[in-house]
Amino acid sequence: MVINLENVIDWFILPLLVIAVVIVFIRLVKGPELPDRVVSLDLMTSIGIGIIATYAMATGEQVLIDVAIILALISFLGTVAFAYYIERRAS
Amino acid sequence: MPSLILSTATRYLLPLMLLFSVFVLIRGHNEPGGGFIGGLVASTAYALYAISSGVEKARAALPIEPRYIIAVGLGIAVTSGMISMILGDPFMTSQWLDTVFPVIGKVGTPVMFDTGVYLVVIGVTLTIIFNLAEGE
C-alpha cells in the first residue's frame, strides 16, 4: 500500500477517531456521575470537530471547515450551560 | 456565582459569533448557510452572554425587545415578497439588482427575505431563552 495523505486519512486517522468516539460513548453510558457524562459529551463533540476537519482535508470541501468552526463555537456553549445547571443543582 | 473566566471569554466570543452569523447569512444564497443558521448562531451569542452576565444585562445589550425583532423580521420578509407584485410579477418572484457589490455579491429580494428570516429566528429564540431563564 502506498503511503500518501489519502491512504493515511482513510486507513489510520479516521478509524482512530471513530474508535475514540466509541470509547468516549462507553464512558457516557457508564459514567457514574452527571459531571462525567458532561465531560464525555464535550469530548465527543471535540472528536466530531476533528472528524469533520479530517474529512474536509480528504475531500477538499472548504465548506466543511466552516461547519467545524460553528460546531466549535456552539459546543462550548452547551458545556457551559450544563456546568451552570450542575452548579445550580448543587447549591 | 458569575465566573471571571467565562465573562472574560464571552467578551471576545460575542463579537466573533455575531460576525460569523452575518458571514453565514450573506454567504447563504449560493453556498451552505442562510438566514436560519445565521440567526441561530447570533442568538447563541446572546444566550452565552445571558449565562455569563445575567439575563438583565443580555436584555439591555439588545437594542429593542426580542418580540419587536420578530415583527421587524416578518415585515422585511413580507416586503421582499411585495416588491415583485409592485413590479408586475407574481408574489415572491426574485428581483435582482444588476450591480455586483464587492463583498456581498448580487443583491436582490432573496437576500432581503433571508435577512427577515434571520431577524425572526433571533427574536423567537431569544424570547424563548430569556423567558425560560427568568421563569426559574
Side-chain angles (χ1 to χ4, degrees):
Chain A
M1 196 176 80
V2 192
I3 296 181
N4 55 14
L5 185 62
E6 277 178 28
N7 276 333
V8 168
I9 285 174
D10 283 351
W11 296 101
F12 187 67
I13 298 176
L14 280 178
L16 216 60
L17 286 169
V18 171
I19 292 169
V21 170
V22 171
I23 294 172
V24 174
F25 187 74
I26 293 170
R27 175 50 68 190
L28 179 70
V29 173
K30 275 177 68 179
E33 296 290 326
L34 186 59
D36 300 324
R37 294 200 165 98
V38 172
V39 169
S40 63
L41 209 59
D42 186 45
L43 186 57
M44 252 173 131
T45 45
S46 301
I47 299 170
I49 294 166
I51 291 177
I52 292 172
T54 317
Y55 192 72
M57 275 182 74
T59 56
E61 291 270 355
Q62 294 178 354
V63 172
L64 291 177
I65 294 290
D66 299 335
V67 178
I69 293 173
I70 292 184
L71 197 59
L73 283 173
I74 304 285
S75 73
F76 161 74
L77 179 80
T79 313
V80 166
F82 271 125
Y84 181 76
Y85 283 111
I86 287 173
E87 204 174 56
R88 171 163 290 203
R89 206 180 61 162
S91 61
Chain B
M1 43 157 248
S3 156
L4 180 65
I5 299 172
L6 184 60
S7 55
T8 312
T10 308
R11 211 173 297 153
Y12 293 101
L13 274 175
L14 185 76
L16 195 69
M17 287 165 104
L18 287 177
L19 195 70
F20 207 78
S21 76
V22 174
F23 166 69
V24 168
L25 164 72
I26 289 173
R27 197 187 60 165
H29 192 66
N30 295 319
E31 285 180 73
F36 190 80
I37 306 169
L40 281 181
V41 173
S43 55
T44 308
Y46 278 108
L48 185 63
Y49 191 55
I51 288 175
S52 69
S53 315
V55 181
E56 298 80 24
K57 278 194 173 176
R59 264 192 202 280
L62 277 176
I64 49 175
E65 280 273 301
R67 287 201 306 274
Y68 301 136
I69 299 181
I70 302 176
V72 172
L74 274 179
I76 291 175
V78 170
T79 313
S80 78
M82 303 291 264
I83 288 175
S84 61
M85 286 177 82
I86 296 169
L87 295 174
D89 289 322
F91 183 58
M92 285 211 158
T93 311
S94 301
Q95 308 288 339
W96 294 95
L97 286 179
D98 287 330
T99 27
V100 177
F101 290 90
V103 181
I104 306 173
K106 282 183 91 173
V107 172
T109 51
V111 181
M112 201 172 156
F113 184 77
D114 247 7
T115 313
V117 172
Y118 176 82
L119 291 176
V120 170
V121 170
I122 289 181
V124 170
T125 319
L126 286 185
T127 309
I128 293 171
I129 287 174
F130 287 168
N131 282 333
L132 282 178
E134 279 171 349
E136 283 169 357

